[in-house]
Amino acid sequence: MKLSELTAGTMFMPPEWDREFNHIHADSRDIKPGDLFIARKGHSSHGKAFISAAIEAGAAAVFSENAEMFRCEAGSVPVFPVSELEKQLPGWLKKRYPGYESLTLYGVTGTNGKSSVTQFIAQLAAASGKRCGVIGTLGNGFFPDFEETKNTTPDICVVYRLLDQFAQSGADSAALEVSSHGLHQGRVAGLIFDVAVLTNITQDHLDYHGDMANYFAAKAALFDKDKARSAVINIDDEYGARLISMPTLCDHYLTLSSKKNISADVVFHKVVATADGMKAELQTPWGTEDVYVPLLGEFNVANLAAAVTALAVTGEDFGNLLIKAETLQPVAGRMALYTKPGACKAVIDFAHTPDAIGVAIKSLAPLSKTLSLVFGCGGDRDRTKRAPMASAASLADNVWLTDDNPRTESAEQIFNDVSDSPDASDFTYMHDRAAAITAAIEATPEDGVLLITGKGHENYQDIMGVKHNYSDEAVLLSLGYQRAGGGYAS
């Protein structure tokens, strides 16, 4: 594609500077020879600081937001000044990457459950003979082969390029985790989702949004009439209940609930834990059926209900989806079970908010007389979340507080913030995460369960800007544990 084709109708392209280009990138580290670099204002810096790096990497041209004048760099690379670049960028991306138009788009937002719901949508679609791409925390691609990602919701240039690649690979649909950061920073601007899903909203990311009102507003934007054709909304959540009364809400939506709101459009109840999963009854506009999911926790029934509803809204057969639900595989780092003869069971989960930790503990508590917990609080993040996390953690019988990506913050300061909570008086404090897990295993009886939260699938420990190789799973494997075949605790 030529620059003049890309910008037709939006900006004049001098013929002498018109040229072919390959991909569009807003991150200079992604530039390959022949690409177009977008230098725009970011959250903490401006892309103009990286123009030289992009050109050195082979950029064919640069569009620079609010640059003073046209100029050439490195002899022949044009740098075009562009006003209102953020408004024009989605239109350019649609021209360069038109594949998104052929895809059914599912957007899932919420504090917890985004990864599980998107993965369930993709698995159920695949089991029904469809091909569904995934963009999210665990990576981008087709289940179960994902490429590592920098963000839950990537930069807008990456999002459109991935959707185009999915379409070219034969995908019928794509399920996207849409984070509050991604919504606030316009990373899905210009897309219209066929179904938007709200799982829940609890305290998180207030270091970025400032307060819960702003956090909710960022999430709620996904459900506006101009961004979603339909929606699935959990009204057990107080913010979900607020969302359905907003005047900007898309015209078609279904409410989702447990028995708390029996008048909801979709109700999952009569939830029973079995030896190898969960059973429940699902009441929907498509009928009432029993459903079985080979995964642990009532929250996974809620996640499944959201995924099934989203797919049914777009025409997938409800009964067939429930049959396929029996084949669902565990999501990486979400309630993953590990066992070792003569030792307690261990479960790794990504839970890193007060609500998620509390839900995980309550899900495992009926399975064991003794429940131990290893958890941490991330550095350079919302400090007001730490005391509530301590309160949630105190639901466990024994608790070890350890490091969980302290980043550039003092790990000792994080410990001090947690210890200020009266609920943390009986905690054991150990900075060495592997040592804390080992100590917790030794202190938990054979018939007990150790829950390890916070990192989930992550394979690093972020300390002072350096990501050191580390994974909770690797620690368990080194201690003689093995991943349970079905991934659930029984």
Side-chain angles (χ1 to χ4, degrees):
M1 176 177 281
K2 282 193 170 185
L3 293 175
S4 57
E5 296 176 76
L6 182 75
T7 61
T10 61
M11 62 180 277
F12 173 68
M13 181 57 57
E16 63 270 28
W17 293 112
D18 195 11
R19 58 192 57 195
E20 297 281 345
F21 71 94
N22 295 326
H23 290 292
I24 303 174
H25 293 289
D27 188 331
S28 62
R29 295 167 294 186
D30 295 333
I31 290 289
K32 298 291 188 297
D35 289 341
L36 170 63
F37 178 55
I38 303 294
R40 57 178 180 158
K41 182 180 179 181
H43 178 60
S44 58
S45 62
H46 196 294
K48 64 184 180 182
F50 305 98
I51 289 177
S52 295
I55 291 174
E56 186 176 338
V62 177
F63 287 176
S64 182
E65 183 178 34
N66 297 327
E68 293 183 1
M69 62 182 69
F70 171 83
R71 69 182 189 274
C72 251
E73 291 204 4
S76 61
V77 180
V79 179
F80 298 94
V82 180
S83 59
E84 298 187 320
L85 188 150
E86 288 293 325
K87 291 183 179 180
Q88 301 196 62
L89 184 56
W92 294 340
L93 291 169
K94 288 179 179 182
K95 287 184 180 180
R96 175 60 186 86
Y97 304 113
Y100 77 96
E101 292 182 301
S102 67
L103 301 174
T104 298
L105 296 181
Y106 303 95
V108 183
T109 196
T111 307
N112 306 307
K114 295 188 296 296
S115 294
S116 294
V117 174
T118 53
Q119 299 268 328
F120 290 172
I121 288 174
Q123 288 189 53
L124 290 169
S128 302
K130 302 285 183 72
R131 195 161 166 79
C132 179
V134 175
I135 296 176
T137 307
L138 300 178
N140 308 319
F142 296 98
F143 184 87
D145 301 315
F146 299 112
E147 294 183 1
E148 188 174 349
T149 184
K150 297 174 185 176
N151 304 102
T152 294
T153 309
D155 176 79
I156 186 172
C157 298
V158 179
V159 168
Y160 274 90
R161 187 173 69 256
L162 285 169
L163 294 177
D164 193 63
Q165 290 174 359
F166 291 165
Q168 291 181 28
S169 298
D172 306 282
S173 59
L176 288 73
E177 291 186 49
V178 188
S179 68
S180 58
H181 290 71
L183 286 160
H184 186 256
Q185 295 175 14
R187 298 179 197 170
V188 292
L191 294 177
I192 298 178
F193 290 90
D194 292 279
V195 186
V197 178
L198 177 70
T199 57
N200 52 66
I201 296 180
T202 60
Q203 183 176 342
D204 202 11
H205 303 306
L206 299 193
D207 53 300
Y208 178 86
H209 295 287
D211 56 38
M212 287 298 294
N214 290 331
Y215 182 41
F216 171 55
K219 296 280 192 187
L222 179 63
F223 300 86
D224 286 355
K225 291 181 174 68
D226 61 347
K227 292 185 177 65
R229 294 187 175 92
S230 58
V232 177
I233 300 170
N234 171 20
I235 58 171
D236 284 350
D237 181 88
E238 65 170 300
Y239 289 97
R242 289 189 202 179
L243 182 60
I244 62 173
S245 65
M246 295 182 68
T248 56
L249 181 65
C250 58
D251 294 327
H252 178 64
Y253 66 89
L254 293 178
T255 55
L256 173 68
S257 175
S258 67
K259 59 185 178 184
K260 295 178 184 177
N261 289 285
I262 204 69
S263 61
D265 298 302
V266 177
V267 178
F268 62 93
H269 62 167
K270 300 180 182 178
V271 180
V272 178
T274 70
D276 54 3
M278 307 294 295
K279 288 183 177 180
E281 182 179 273
L282 203 54
Q283 297 177 357
T284 77
W286 308 280
T288 299
E289 298 286 350
D290 291 334
V291 62
Y292 163 78
V293 56
L295 303 169
L296 178 67
E298 184 171 341
F299 59 88
N300 266 325
V301 178
N303 292 335
L304 171 65
V308 167
T309 303
L311 287 162
V313 165
T314 55
E316 297 299 321
D317 183 80
F318 172 67
N320 181 59
L321 290 170
L322 297 190
I323 293 172
K324 302 303 183 185
E326 299 182 7
T327 68
L328 284 176
Q329 298 178 42
V331 177
R334 272 66 175 172
M335 281 296 182
L337 172 67
Y338 297 79
T339 60
K340 175 184 176 181
C344 66
K345 293 181 177 70
V347 175
I348 293 176
D349 191 72
F350 191 54
H352 58 280
T353 66
D355 179 71
I357 289 175
V359 168
I361 291 173
K362 291 174 183 176
S363 294
L364 292 173
L367 305 176
S368 172
K369 292 182 179 179
T370 303
L371 178 62
S372 298
L373 172 69
V374 171
F375 87 108
C377 298
D380 299 334
R381 296 295 186 266
D382 178 15
R383 292 179 63 183
T384 66
K385 189 172 71 173
R386 293 170 185 168
M389 286 181 73
S391 297
S394 69
L395 296 173
D397 299 303
N398 308 294
V399 180
W400 281 259
L401 177 68
T402 189
D403 289 353
D404 182 358
N405 296 332
R407 300 183 177 86
T408 64
E409 188 175 356
S410 163
E412 200 59 43
Q413 178 61 57
I414 296 172
F415 274 24
N416 290 339
D417 286 349
V418 174
S419 66
D420 285 342
S421 169
D423 294 313
S425 59
D426 294 330
F427 291 2
T428 299
Y429 295 77
M430 300 178 70
H431 288 294
D432 186 322
R433 191 173 177 97
I437 291 172
T438 302
I441 288 172
E442 293 174 349
T444 305
E446 182 178 345
D447 61 356
V449 173
L450 169 62
L451 173 61
I452 305 167
T453 65
K455 302 195 71 63
H457 64 286
E458 291 180 351
N459 59 4
Y460 62 85
Q461 185 77 287
D462 190 337
I463 303 172
M464 290 298 170
V466 178
K467 290 187 176 181
H468 302 268
N469 288 332
Y470 172 87
S471 83
D472 290 337
E473 179 181 65
V475 172
L476 291 178
L477 296 179
S478 72
L479 295 173
Y481 277 79
Q482 292 186 334
R483 176 73 181 264
Y488 33 75
S490 59

